[in-house]
Amino acid sequence: VPFNFGHTIEKIAAVGGGMMNLPKYAMMQSLESMKGAPETVLWDSVNALKRPGAEIWGHLNPDLNVKSEVTGCPMYFTPGKHWPADLAQAYFGNKTIFGMLRDPYERLVAMFRGNLGAYGGSYPEFFPTCDVNGAVKKMMKDYLAGDVYAGECTFVPQAEYFDAPFGITLAVDNRRFPDSMNEVFAKHGYSDFKIAKDDIFHVTGCPNVWAGDLDCETKALVRQVYARDFELLC
């Protein structure tokens, strides 16, 4: 699920924690830009960089570096129900499908604070003054106007990633991250996968804004778009 600490999770699973492993993670990420390279070449590079016992999840997995015909987003940001059946079966198989579940208000504020352009959007009319309310209101109005797969599918409701087939069956509480994720790792046999607080990738812009800055109209729009997400949180 985009903007739910997936980059942190995939980094720990692929190369491990600590600053010393960031260069390896950056090199794995850069493989995505090698358009047209044979998958065998990409996998050879990934295998050379990965930690012992690694799992190659998300956008570090070369098999997922293709665009969805349904969403137009990379497959790793696309809900599993929209994946081609053969790819979904190969990637998920009979594994437990887990995903972070995050408060929609907090998630949208993080997108604004990230200001990452293609990923999550960029709001030059609001960012210089840290007007998070204006930005989130625009996000919701754009979504309701039909721009549902914008920003690399970051505005798709989290609930769609829970839909069958190939939906999330194990929700991980974002409010307790990283402890919640570390507990899941340990329970499922990944006792050497552990996320420290210093391993977490954070947004840094407009550090003084939060969900409490959203007005009633904006919150109502968020609840309209993400009604099913709020139900999942309950």
Side-chain angles (χ1 to χ4, degrees):
V1 184
F3 255 96
N4 278 16
F5 294 105
H7 292 85
T8 297
I9 294 167
E10 70 182 12
K11 172 190 174 289
I12 296 299
V15 299
M19 294 292 292
M20 69 282 194
N21 286 316
L22 281 175
K24 287 184 179 180
Y25 179 62
M27 290 175 69
M28 275 195 183
Q29 284 185 306
S30 70
L31 296 174
E32 186 178 358
S33 65
M34 296 173 60
K35 305 297 184 185
E39 280 198 11
T40 54
V41 172
L42 298 177
W43 272 111
D44 285 347
S45 298
V46 167
N47 290 331
L49 292 166
K50 71 181 184 181
R51 63 180 291 174
E55 292 284 359
I56 308 302
W57 291 326
H59 82 295
L60 299 183
N61 189 307
D63 297 341
L64 307 187
N65 289 339
V66 292
K67 297 282 188 181
S68 165
E69 293 183 0
V70 177
T71 67
C73 305
M75 207 63 71
Y76 48 77
F77 286 148
T78 296
K81 65 182 180 180
H82 296 315
W83 288 26
D86 56 346
L87 177 62
Q89 186 59 47
Y91 183 76
F92 296 117
N94 61 355
K95 300 172 185 174
T96 299
I97 302 176
F98 73 91
M100 301 300 302
L101 181 59
R102 189 172 192 176
D103 180 286
Y105 297 132
E106 179 189 310
R107 187 166 175 256
L108 292 166
V109 170
M111 289 183 203
F112 169 71
R113 291 186 58 209
N115 197 40
L116 297 174
Y119 180 55
S122 180
Y123 301 91
E125 67 271 47
F126 301 109
F127 197 76
T129 58
C130 292
D131 181 5
V132 66
N133 183 66
V136 172
K137 188 174 296 184
K138 183 179 188 304
M139 293 175 192
M140 296 300 90
K141 288 183 175 180
D142 288 348
Y143 181 92
L144 290 168
D147 203 4
V148 297
Y149 297 128
E152 300 280 38
C153 283
T154 46
F155 300 104
V156 173
Q158 296 167 88
E160 293 204 20
Y161 295 83
F162 286 76
D163 291 342
F166 304 107
I168 293 167
T169 57
L170 174 59
V172 184
D173 186 359
N174 183 80
R175 291 190 179 100
R176 295 182 52 245
F177 189 81
D179 293 343
S180 55
M181 192 66 238
N182 287 333
E183 290 165 9
V184 170
F185 281 149
K187 185 176 180 179
H188 289 266
Y190 297 107
S191 57
D192 56 338
F193 288 14
K194 189 169 181 63
I195 303 169
K197 293 193 184 299
D198 289 344
D199 291 318
I200 301 172
F201 296 126
H202 289 288
V203 293
T204 58
C206 294
N208 295 319
V209 304
W210 68 303
D213 294 320
L214 305 179
D215 66 21
C216 292
E217 180 187 0
T218 301
K219 287 182 178 178
L221 289 168
V222 173
R223 285 199 165 271
Q224 178 182 350
V225 172
Y226 298 110
R228 291 176 63 208
D229 289 4
F230 285 106
E231 290 176 4
L232 285 171
L233 285 170
C234 293

mmCIF file of all heavy atoms in Angstrom, residues 17-59:
data_model
loop_
_atom_site.group_PDB
_atom_site.id
_atom_site.type_symbol
_atom_site.label_atom_id
_atom_site.label_comp_id
_atom_site.label_asym_id
_atom_site.label_seq_id
_atom_site.Cartn_x
_atom_site.Cartn_y
_atom_site.Cartn_z
ATOM 1 N N GLY A 17 19.036 -3.607 8.233
ATOM 2 C CA GLY A 17 18.956 -2.273 8.801
ATOM 3 C C GLY A 17 20.302 -1.589 8.893
ATOM 4 O O GLY A 17 21.340 -2.144 8.521
ATOM 5 N N GLY A 18 20.274 -0.356 9.390
ATOM 6 C CA GLY A 18 21.512 0.381 9.601
ATOM 7 C C GLY A 18 21.917 1.220 8.408
ATOM 8 O O GLY A 18 21.602 0.913 7.255
ATOM 9 N N MET A 19 22.647 2.277 8.707
ATOM 10 C CA MET A 19 23.107 3.198 7.662
ATOM 11 C C MET A 19 24.025 2.508 6.659
ATOM 12 O O MET A 19 24.043 2.863 5.482
ATOM 13 C CB MET A 19 23.850 4.369 8.306
ATOM 14 C CG MET A 19 22.977 5.268 9.172
ATOM 15 S SD MET A 19 21.771 6.201 8.186
ATOM 16 C CE MET A 19 22.870 7.301 7.291
ATOM 17 N N MET A 20 24.776 1.495 7.107
ATOM 18 C CA MET A 20 25.756 0.871 6.223
ATOM 19 C C MET A 20 25.103 0.128 5.057
ATOM 20 O O MET A 20 25.744 -0.132 4.038
ATOM 21 C CB MET A 20 26.674 -0.071 7.003
ATOM 22 C CG MET A 20 26.020 -1.334 7.527
ATOM 23 S SD MET A 20 25.043 -1.029 8.981
ATOM 24 C CE MET A 20 24.776 -2.699 9.580
ATOM 25 N N ASN A 21 23.813 -0.192 5.198
ATOM 26 C CA ASN A 21 23.132 -0.923 4.129
ATOM 27 C C ASN A 21 22.335 -0.016 3.188
ATOM 28 O O ASN A 21 21.775 -0.499 2.204
ATOM 29 C CB ASN A 21 22.197 -1.975 4.729
ATOM 30 C CG ASN A 21 22.958 -3.167 5.279
ATOM 31 O OD1 ASN A 21 23.883 -3.662 4.643
ATOM 32 N ND2 ASN A 21 22.581 -3.619 6.466
ATOM 33 N N LEU A 22 22.311 1.285 3.469
ATOM 34 C CA LEU A 22 21.589 2.209 2.586
ATOM 35 C C LEU A 22 22.139 2.231 1.157
ATOM 36 O O LEU A 22 21.359 2.285 0.200
ATOM 37 C CB LEU A 22 21.585 3.616 3.175
ATOM 38 C CG LEU A 22 20.579 3.870 4.297
ATOM 39 C CD1 LEU A 22 20.764 5.268 4.884
ATOM 40 C CD2 LEU A 22 19.147 3.706 3.798
ATOM 41 N N PRO A 23 23.473 2.193 0.966
ATOM 42 C CA PRO A 23 23.970 2.171 -0.417
ATOM 43 C C PRO A 23 23.486 0.951 -1.207
ATOM 44 O O PRO A 23 23.170 1.073 -2.397
ATOM 45 C CB PRO A 23 25.494 2.152 -0.244
ATOM 46 C CG PRO A 23 25.727 2.809 1.076
ATOM 47 C CD PRO A 23 24.585 2.354 1.934
ATOM 48 N N LYS A 24 23.413 -0.202 -0.558
ATOM 49 C CA LYS A 24 22.906 -1.396 -1.244
ATOM 50 C C LYS A 24 21.446 -1.211 -1.635
ATOM 51 O O LYS A 24 21.019 -1.580 -2.734
ATOM 52 C CB LYS A 24 23.048 -2.626 -0.348
ATOM 53 C CG LYS A 24 24.468 -3.125 -0.173
ATOM 54 C CD LYS A 24 24.469 -4.401 0.663
ATOM 55 C CE LYS A 24 25.879 -4.940 0.834
ATOM 56 N NZ LYS A 24 25.891 -6.181 1.651
ATOM 57 N N TYR A 25 20.679 -0.625 -0.713
ATOM 58 C CA TYR A 25 19.269 -0.388 -1.004
ATOM 59 C C TYR A 25 19.123 0.594 -2.171
ATOM 60 O O TYR A 25 18.306 0.383 -3.072
ATOM 61 C CB TYR A 25 18.573 0.160 0.242
ATOM 62 C CG TYR A 25 17.106 0.474 0.042
ATOM 63 C CD1 TYR A 25 16.194 -0.523 -0.286
ATOM 64 C CD2 TYR A 25 16.623 1.780 0.182
ATOM 65 C CE1 TYR A 25 14.850 -0.242 -0.471
ATOM 66 C CE2 TYR A 25 15.277 2.065 0.002
ATOM 67 C CZ TYR A 25 14.398 1.050 -0.320
ATOM 68 O OH TYR A 25 13.072 1.328 -0.516
ATOM 69 N N ALA A 26 19.934 1.638 -2.171
ATOM 70 C CA ALA A 26 19.880 2.620 -3.263
ATOM 71 C C ALA A 26 20.232 1.973 -4.598
ATOM 72 O O ALA A 26 19.625 2.277 -5.632
ATOM 73 C CB ALA A 26 20.829 3.781 -2.969
ATOM 74 N N MET A 27 21.201 1.067 -4.573
ATOM 75 C CA MET A 27 21.585 0.381 -5.814
ATOM 76 C C MET A 27 20.457 -0.520 -6.310
ATOM 77 O O MET A 27 20.183 -0.597 -7.509
ATOM 78 C CB MET A 27 22.854 -0.434 -5.584
ATOM 79 C CG MET A 27 24.107 0.414 -5.385
ATOM 80 S SD MET A 27 25.570 -0.568 -4.971
ATOM 81 C CE MET A 27 25.840 -1.428 -6.532
ATOM 82 N N MET A 28 19.771 -1.194 -5.385
ATOM 83 C CA MET A 28 18.625 -2.019 -5.783
ATOM 84 C C MET A 28 17.528 -1.161 -6.389
ATOM 85 O O MET A 28 16.932 -1.513 -7.406
ATOM 86 C CB MET A 28 18.079 -2.780 -4.578
ATOM 87 C CG MET A 28 18.774 -4.086 -4.265
ATOM 88 S SD MET A 28 17.762 -5.061 -3.124
ATOM 89 C CE MET A 28 18.855 -6.468 -2.864
ATOM 90 N N GLN A 29 17.271 -0.012 -5.760
ATOM 91 C CA GLN A 29 16.243 0.887 -6.279
ATOM 92 C C GLN A 29 16.577 1.357 -7.692
ATOM 93 O O GLN A 29 15.698 1.488 -8.544
ATOM 94 C CB GLN A 29 16.093 2.102 -5.368
ATOM 95 C CG GLN A 29 15.356 1.858 -4.073
ATOM 96 C CD GLN A 29 15.166 3.146 -3.300
ATOM 97 O OE1 GLN A 29 16.124 3.870 -3.035
ATOM 98 N NE2 GLN A 29 13.941 3.451 -2.947
ATOM 99 N N SER A 30 17.847 1.607 -7.934
ATOM 100 C CA SER A 30 18.265 2.140 -9.231
ATOM 101 C C SER A 30 18.051 1.147 -10.368
ATOM 102 O O SER A 30 17.979 1.542 -11.539
ATOM 103 C CB SER A 30 19.742 2.556 -9.187
ATOM 104 O OG SER A 30 20.593 1.429 -9.110
ATOM 105 N N LEU A 31 17.926 -0.125 -10.043
ATOM 106 C CA LEU A 31 17.732 -1.138 -11.086
ATOM 107 C C LEU A 31 16.417 -0.922 -11.831
ATOM 108 O O LEU A 31 16.278 -1.316 -12.979
ATOM 109 C CB LEU A 31 17.769 -2.545 -10.474
ATOM 110 C CG LEU A 31 19.093 -2.975 -9.837
ATOM 111 C CD1 LEU A 31 18.930 -4.319 -9.140
ATOM 112 C CD2 LEU A 31 20.199 -3.046 -10.884
ATOM 113 N N GLU A 32 15.458 -0.279 -11.145
ATOM 114 C CA GLU A 32 14.165 -0.038 -11.763
ATOM 115 C C GLU A 32 14.280 0.858 -12.994
ATOM 116 O O GLU A 32 13.457 0.784 -13.914
ATOM 117 C CB GLU A 32 13.216 0.590 -10.751
ATOM 118 C CG GLU A 32 11.795 0.739 -11.256
ATOM 119 C CD GLU A 32 10.860 1.321 -10.215
ATOM 120 O OE1 GLU A 32 11.312 1.583 -9.085
ATOM 121 O OE2 GLU A 32 9.684 1.528 -10.532
ATOM 122 N N SER A 33 15.303 1.694 -13.017
ATOM 123 C CA SER A 33 15.471 2.621 -14.143
ATOM 124 C C SER A 33 16.096 1.950 -15.365
ATOM 125 O O SER A 33 16.174 2.569 -16.428
ATOM 126 C CB SER A 33 16.343 3.801 -13.708
ATOM 127 O OG SER A 33 17.653 3.372 -13.388
ATOM 128 N N MET A 34 16.519 0.710 -15.222
ATOM 129 C CA MET A 34 17.161 -0.001 -16.340
ATOM 130 C C MET A 34 16.097 -0.612 -17.249
ATOM 131 O O MET A 34 15.928 -1.834 -17.329
ATOM 132 C CB MET A 34 18.116 -1.068 -15.804
ATOM 133 C CG MET A 34 19.279 -0.503 -15.015
ATOM 134 S SD MET A 34 20.292 -1.770 -14.202
ATOM 135 C CE MET A 34 20.853 -2.749 -15.615
ATOM 136 N N LYS A 35 15.334 0.253 -17.899
ATOM 137 C CA LYS A 35 14.252 -0.202 -18.763
ATOM 138 C C LYS A 35 14.802 -1.048 -19.912
ATOM 139 O O LYS A 35 15.791 -0.689 -20.550
ATOM 140 C CB LYS A 35 13.487 0.993 -19.336
ATOM 141 C CG LYS A 35 12.944 1.955 -18.287
ATOM 142 C CD LYS A 35 11.918 1.296 -17.388
ATOM 143 C CE LYS A 35 11.325 2.293 -16.413
ATOM 144 N NZ LYS A 35 10.415 1.661 -15.442
ATOM 145 N N GLY A 36 14.161 -2.171 -20.148
ATOM 146 C CA GLY A 36 14.556 -3.033 -21.248
ATOM 147 C C GLY A 36 15.628 -4.042 -20.906
ATOM 148 O O GLY A 36 15.923 -4.934 -21.718
ATOM 149 N N ALA A 37 16.225 -3.939 -19.734
ATOM 150 C CA ALA A 37 17.247 -4.916 -19.347
ATOM 151 C C ALA A 37 16.582 -6.264 -19.100
ATOM 152 O O ALA A 37 15.476 -6.334 -18.542
ATOM 153 C CB ALA A 37 17.970 -4.452 -18.086
ATOM 154 N N PRO A 38 17.219 -7.363 -19.509
ATOM 155 C CA PRO A 38 16.641 -8.693 -19.264
ATOM 156 C C PRO A 38 16.420 -8.924 -17.772
ATOM 157 O O PRO A 38 17.231 -8.506 -16.939
ATOM 158 C CB PRO A 38 17.710 -9.643 -19.813
ATOM 159 C CG PRO A 38 18.516 -8.830 -20.762
ATOM 160 C CD PRO A 38 18.519 -7.436 -20.212
ATOM 161 N N GLU A 39 15.314 -9.573 -17.430
ATOM 162 C CA GLU A 39 15.019 -9.817 -16.016
ATOM 163 C C GLU A 39 16.111 -10.647 -15.357
ATOM 164 O O GLU A 39 16.372 -10.487 -14.164
ATOM 165 C CB GLU A 39 13.666 -10.515 -15.868
ATOM 166 C CG GLU A 39 12.487 -9.565 -15.969
ATOM 167 C CD GLU A 39 11.208 -10.162 -15.411
ATOM 168 O OE1 GLU A 39 11.264 -11.227 -14.763
ATOM 169 O OE2 GLU A 39 10.147 -9.551 -15.629
ATOM 170 N N THR A 40 16.739 -11.526 -16.119
ATOM 171 C CA THR A 40 17.818 -12.335 -15.529
ATOM 172 C C THR A 40 18.971 -11.452 -15.062
ATOM 173 O O THR A 40 19.570 -11.711 -14.015
ATOM 174 C CB THR A 40 18.334 -13.360 -16.550
ATOM 175 O OG1 THR A 40 18.707 -12.677 -17.770
ATOM 176 C CG2 THR A 40 17.287 -14.411 -16.852
ATOM 177 N N VAL A 41 19.266 -10.404 -15.815
ATOM 178 C CA VAL A 41 20.324 -9.467 -15.432
ATOM 179 C C VAL A 41 19.929 -8.717 -14.168
ATOM 180 O O VAL A 41 20.738 -8.549 -13.238
ATOM 181 C CB VAL A 41 20.628 -8.480 -16.580
ATOM 182 C CG1 VAL A 41 21.592 -7.391 -16.124
ATOM 183 C CG2 VAL A 41 21.176 -9.217 -17.786
ATOM 184 N N LEU A 42 18.681 -8.266 -14.108
ATOM 185 C CA LEU A 42 18.202 -7.539 -12.932
ATOM 186 C C LEU A 42 18.211 -8.434 -11.693
ATOM 187 O O LEU A 42 18.642 -8.012 -10.616
ATOM 188 C CB LEU A 42 16.800 -6.995 -13.189
ATOM 189 C CG LEU A 42 16.658 -5.991 -14.336
ATOM 190 C CD1 LEU A 42 15.199 -5.600 -14.532
ATOM 191 C CD2 LEU A 42 17.514 -4.752 -14.083
ATOM 192 N N TRP A 43 17.769 -9.657 -11.862
ATOM 193 C CA TRP A 43 17.754 -10.574 -10.723
ATOM 194 C C TRP A 43 19.164 -10.930 -10.267
ATOM 195 O O TRP A 43 19.416 -11.080 -9.058
ATOM 196 C CB TRP A 43 16.963 -11.840 -11.053
ATOM 197 C CG TRP A 43 15.505 -11.712 -10.752
ATOM 198 C CD1 TRP A 43 14.469 -11.662 -11.632
ATOM 199 C CD2 TRP A 43 14.916 -11.595 -9.454
ATOM 200 N NE1 TRP A 43 13.271 -11.521 -10.982
ATOM 201 C CE2 TRP A 43 13.514 -11.490 -9.639
ATOM 202 C CE3 TRP A 43 15.435 -11.573 -8.164
ATOM 203 C CZ2 TRP A 43 12.636 -11.360 -8.563
ATOM 204 C CZ3 TRP A 43 14.549 -11.442 -7.094
ATOM 205 C CH2 TRP A 43 13.179 -11.340 -7.290
ATOM 206 N N ASP A 44 20.101 -11.059 -11.202
ATOM 207 C CA ASP A 44 21.495 -11.310 -10.822
ATOM 208 C C ASP A 44 22.021 -10.172 -9.952
ATOM 209 O O ASP A 44 22.733 -10.408 -8.965
ATOM 210 C CB ASP A 44 22.373 -11.457 -12.069
ATOM 211 C CG ASP A 44 22.192 -12.798 -12.780
ATOM 212 O OD1 ASP A 44 21.580 -13.705 -12.167
ATOM 213 O OD2 ASP A 44 22.638 -12.920 -13.930
ATOM 214 N N SER A 45 21.674 -8.952 -10.307
ATOM 215 C CA SER A 45 22.123 -7.796 -9.525
ATOM 216 C C SER A 45 21.468 -7.781 -8.138
ATOM 217 O O SER A 45 22.132 -7.509 -7.132
ATOM 218 C CB SER A 45 21.781 -6.497 -10.265
ATOM 219 O OG SER A 45 22.450 -6.449 -11.516
ATOM 220 N N VAL A 46 20.177 -8.059 -8.105
ATOM 221 C CA VAL A 46 19.474 -8.107 -6.821
ATOM 222 C C VAL A 46 20.068 -9.183 -5.922
ATOM 223 O O VAL A 46 20.335 -8.950 -4.731
ATOM 224 C CB VAL A 46 17.963 -8.376 -7.044
ATOM 225 C CG1 VAL A 46 17.276 -8.737 -5.725
ATOM 226 C CG2 VAL A 46 17.301 -7.164 -7.666
ATOM 227 N N ASN A 47 20.298 -10.351 -6.483
ATOM 228 C CA ASN A 47 20.832 -11.458 -5.691
ATOM 229 C C ASN A 47 22.240 -11.186 -5.175
ATOM 230 O O ASN A 47 22.629 -11.682 -4.114
ATOM 231 C CB ASN A 47 20.807 -12.747 -6.512
ATOM 232 C CG ASN A 47 19.393 -13.261 -6.731
ATOM 233 O OD1 ASN A 47 18.499 -13.037 -5.909
ATOM 234 N ND2 ASN A 47 19.166 -13.942 -7.843
ATOM 235 N N ALA A 48 22.994 -10.391 -5.919
ATOM 236 C CA ALA A 48 24.347 -10.045 -5.486
ATOM 237 C C ALA A 48 24.338 -9.051 -4.326
ATOM 238 O O ALA A 48 25.297 -9.000 -3.543
ATOM 239 C CB ALA A 48 25.140 -9.470 -6.659
ATOM 240 N N LEU A 49 23.268 -8.283 -4.209
ATOM 241 C CA LEU A 49 23.191 -7.235 -3.187
ATOM 242 C C LEU A 49 22.436 -7.657 -1.932
ATOM 243 O O LEU A 49 22.629 -7.073 -0.866
ATOM 244 C CB LEU A 49 22.505 -5.996 -3.771
ATOM 245 C CG LEU A 49 23.265 -5.234 -4.853
ATOM 246 C CD1 LEU A 49 22.326 -4.263 -5.573
ATOM 247 C CD2 LEU A 49 24.440 -4.470 -4.255
ATOM 248 N N LYS A 50 21.592 -8.651 -2.037
ATOM 249 C CA LYS A 50 20.670 -8.970 -0.946
ATOM 250 C C LYS A 50 21.371 -9.603 0.250
ATOM 251 O O LYS A 50 22.460 -10.168 0.140
ATOM 252 C CB LYS A 50 19.563 -9.888 -1.445
ATOM 253 C CG LYS A 50 20.027 -11.314 -1.762
ATOM 254 C CD LYS A 50 18.872 -12.157 -2.279
ATOM 255 C CE LYS A 50 19.316 -13.602 -2.503
ATOM 256 N NZ LYS A 50 18.203 -14.432 -3.039
ATOM 257 N N ARG A 51 20.724 -9.506 1.387
ATOM 258 C CA ARG A 51 21.203 -10.085 2.634
ATOM 259 C C ARG A 51 20.938 -11.598 2.643
ATOM 260 O O ARG A 51 20.081 -12.085 1.888
ATOM 261 C CB ARG A 51 20.475 -9.451 3.821
ATOM 262 C CG ARG A 51 18.980 -9.710 3.814
ATOM 263 C CD ARG A 51 18.267 -9.076 4.995
ATOM 264 N NE ARG A 51 18.605 -9.730 6.239
ATOM 265 C CZ ARG A 51 18.214 -9.302 7.446
ATOM 266 N NH1 ARG A 51 17.477 -8.199 7.542
ATOM 267 N NH2 ARG A 51 18.548 -9.932 8.525
ATOM 268 N N PRO A 52 21.605 -12.356 3.498
ATOM 269 C CA PRO A 52 21.251 -13.778 3.648
ATOM 270 C C PRO A 52 19.821 -13.912 4.152
ATOM 271 O O PRO A 52 19.391 -13.184 5.044
ATOM 272 C CB PRO A 52 22.255 -14.269 4.704
ATOM 273 C CG PRO A 52 23.404 -13.328 4.625
ATOM 274 C CD PRO A 52 22.809 -11.992 4.275
ATOM 275 N N GLY A 53 19.074 -14.827 3.544
ATOM 276 C CA GLY A 53 17.693 -15.040 3.949
ATOM 277 C C GLY A 53 16.753 -13.930 3.555
ATOM 278 O O GLY A 53 15.669 -13.788 4.132
ATOM 279 N N ALA A 54 17.129 -13.142 2.580
ATOM 280 C CA ALA A 54 16.338 -11.971 2.178
ATOM 281 C C ALA A 54 15.004 -12.355 1.564
ATOM 282 O O ALA A 54 14.828 -13.453 1.018
ATOM 283 C CB ALA A 54 17.124 -11.130 1.180
ATOM 284 N N GLU A 55 14.076 -11.412 1.637
ATOM 285 C CA GLU A 55 12.845 -11.436 0.851
ATOM 286 C C GLU A 55 12.868 -10.190 -0.028
ATOM 287 O O GLU A 55 13.158 -9.099 0.458
ATOM 288 C CB GLU A 55 11.604 -11.419 1.751
ATOM 289 C CG GLU A 55 11.394 -12.678 2.564
ATOM 290 C CD GLU A 55 10.859 -13.839 1.747
ATOM 291 O OE1 GLU A 55 10.627 -13.649 0.527
ATOM 292 O OE2 GLU A 55 10.669 -14.923 2.318
ATOM 293 N N ILE A 56 12.569 -10.370 -1.299
ATOM 294 C CA ILE A 56 12.589 -9.241 -2.230
ATOM 295 C C ILE A 56 11.158 -8.839 -2.527
ATOM 296 O O ILE A 56 10.484 -9.414 -3.375
ATOM 297 C CB ILE A 56 13.361 -9.600 -3.527
ATOM 298 C CG1 ILE A 56 14.741 -10.151 -3.192
ATOM 299 C CG2 ILE A 56 13.475 -8.367 -4.421
ATOM 300 C CD1 ILE A 56 15.615 -9.200 -2.374
ATOM 301 N N TRP A 57 10.712 -7.835 -1.792
ATOM 302 C CA TRP A 57 9.327 -7.393 -1.868
ATOM 303 C C TRP A 57 9.209 -6.036 -2.572
ATOM 304 O O TRP A 57 10.179 -5.293 -2.727
ATOM 305 C CB TRP A 57 8.747 -7.257 -0.462
ATOM 306 C CG TRP A 57 8.546 -8.547 0.267
ATOM 307 C CD1 TRP A 57 8.186 -9.748 -0.280
ATOM 308 C CD2 TRP A 57 8.663 -8.781 1.679
ATOM 309 N NE1 TRP A 57 8.072 -10.707 0.708
ATOM 310 C CE2 TRP A 57 8.355 -10.142 1.913
ATOM 311 C CE3 TRP A 57 8.994 -7.976 2.776
ATOM 312 C CZ2 TRP A 57 8.371 -10.708 3.187
ATOM 313 C CZ3 TRP A 57 9.001 -8.538 4.047
ATOM 314 C CH2 TRP A 57 8.695 -9.885 4.250
ATOM 315 N N GLY A 58 7.972 -5.737 -2.973
ATOM 316 C CA GLY A 58 7.665 -4.410 -3.482
ATOM 317 C C GLY A 58 8.444 -4.023 -4.718
ATOM 318 O O GLY A 58 8.694 -4.852 -5.595
ATOM 319 N N HIS A 59 8.841 -2.764 -4.780
ATOM 320 C CA HIS A 59 9.440 -2.282 -6.027
ATOM 321 C C HIS A 59 10.893 -2.698 -6.184
ATOM 322 O O HIS A 59 11.523 -2.379 -7.196
ATOM 323 C CB HIS A 59 9.250 -0.776 -6.182
ATOM 324 C CG HIS A 59 10.221 0.085 -5.457
ATOM 325 N ND1 HIS A 59 10.309 0.135 -4.097
ATOM 326 C CD2 HIS A 59 11.137 0.961 -5.927
ATOM 327 C CE1 HIS A 59 11.233 1.005 -3.750
ATOM 328 N NE2 HIS A 59 11.755 1.517 -4.835
#
